[in-house]
Amino acid sequence: MRPTVSPALLGPLLLLLAAPAAYGAGCAPDRGAALRPALMTQGFLQAHPDLHWRELGLQSWRQGRPDHALLRFKRAAAHADKVSQSLVARMYQEGVGTGADPVLAYIWMDLAAERGYRDLLLERERYWNRLDATQQQRVLAEGPALYATYGDATAKPRMEAAMRVERSRMTGSRTGWVSSMLHVELSDGPEAGWPTRGDDYYRDAYWNPAAYWCMQDQIWQQEHRGRRVEVGPLGPVEDPQP
């Protein structure tokens, strides 16, 4: 049974739980939206701290250091990475890498669902249904502070500032124009040593903030809708009985 919430708390609660009715507004449909693995080089990741810290978090996870993974996912989350925010939520929910805290788990999942991605909204509601009335009041008390640091209103400008700094260092004209004749030779990553067209490496979707957020919405629609975000099992799995 879902706990009841007093009328005095209902107004702030609705504001905290609110998510956009639609996302990707103004984005032209693009079924080819993708972050090419070939571009995930050290230099590219340093210019995209959301991806950089998420990747480091996954490395820590694979090394069996979930406490380090949690810290790194939070660094990615501070740059508006919704995948990392959802992973932090699950770690708090299941007590992996930190003590279990269903209230913080809910707040982090609420952050992850901020843009209205359907599967994260559904997960958020499952987390809410597990809270009692006292825990729901904690959400209202503790949620605003986390939103002040990790919500899109703060985290997106932080990410955009990092992208602008690196984009200003582009190879090309002083106006930022990059010719298709320019080739970038990647020094690391899966295609190290192979030239990549400059106008592909420096395409707007990777460096222009509005285009970057639009691409993320498109990718989520294509690849994540209806699927759970996983980094691996968060607890021991026993073999089934014969």
Side-chain angles (χ1 to χ4, degrees):
M1 180 178 179
R2 187 185 183 107
T4 60
V5 183
S6 69
L9 294 176
L10 185 58
L13 178 64
L14 292 176
L15 290 176
L16 183 61
L17 303 189
Y23 54 90
C27 294
D30 180 6
R31 294 189 177 183
L35 281 162
R36 290 179 50 205
L39 301 178
M40 298 297 105
T41 64
Q42 182 177 356
F44 187 91
L45 290 173
Q46 286 178 347
H48 296 78
D50 56 339
L51 304 176
H52 172 71
W53 287 107
R54 187 206 302 174
E55 178 57 31
L56 289 179
L58 292 171
Q59 288 179 16
S60 294
W61 182 269
R62 289 190 288 266
Q63 293 166 0
R65 306 182 72 182
D67 53 337
H68 283 214
L70 180 64
L71 293 174
R72 290 172 165 181
F73 289 144
K74 287 184 177 180
R75 293 288 295 271
H79 292 87
D81 185 48
K82 295 305 180 189
V83 173
S84 292
Q85 291 174 2
S86 72
L87 294 175
V88 172
R90 293 196 61 206
M91 295 177 80
Y92 274 114
Q93 182 69 30
E94 302 185 25
V96 176
T98 185
D101 190 327
V103 171
L104 287 178
Y106 173 82
I107 296 171
W108 277 98
M109 191 59 74
D110 191 48
L111 281 162
E114 184 178 10
R115 296 177 201 158
Y117 300 146
R118 181 178 178 274
D119 48 345
L120 296 180
L121 287 171
L122 293 173
E123 191 76 357
R124 183 191 73 177
E125 292 310 297
R126 281 192 285 268
Y127 282 22
W128 176 260
N129 288 333
R130 297 169 186 167
L131 301 179
D132 60 30
T134 300
Q135 291 171 327
Q136 290 173 359
Q137 292 187 36
R138 271 189 61 202
V139 167
L140 298 175
E142 300 177 25
L146 281 176
Y147 260 86
T149 299
Y150 298 100
D152 275 353
T154 302
K156 275 189 172 183
R158 186 181 293 126
M159 177 64 192
E160 292 167 5
M163 294 171 67
R164 279 194 296 270
V165 168
E166 294 303 323
R167 190 176 187 184
S168 70
R169 300 173 182 171
M170 277 186 178
T171 300
S173 77
R174 290 182 174 84
T175 63
W177 178 75
V178 178
S179 169
S180 60
M181 300 299 292
L182 172 69
H183 285 78
V184 178
E185 185 169 306
L186 305 178
S187 60
D188 58 1
E191 295 188 14
W194 290 87
T196 297
R197 283 170 47 123
D199 58 350
D200 189 12
Y201 186 85
Y202 291 116
R203 62 184 294 192
D204 273 356
Y206 300 151
W207 300 94
N208 176 276
Y212 187 67
W213 303 127
C214 183
M215 179 182 65
Q216 287 202 4
D217 288 344
Q218 298 284 353
I219 290 173
W220 199 283
Q221 284 179 300
Q222 295 166 24
E223 298 183 6
H224 296 280
R225 183 176 288 275
R227 292 164 51 182
R228 294 173 65 91
V229 178
E230 301 279 356
V231 294
L234 297 185
V237 178
E238 298 181 359
D239 291 332
Q241 295 296 322

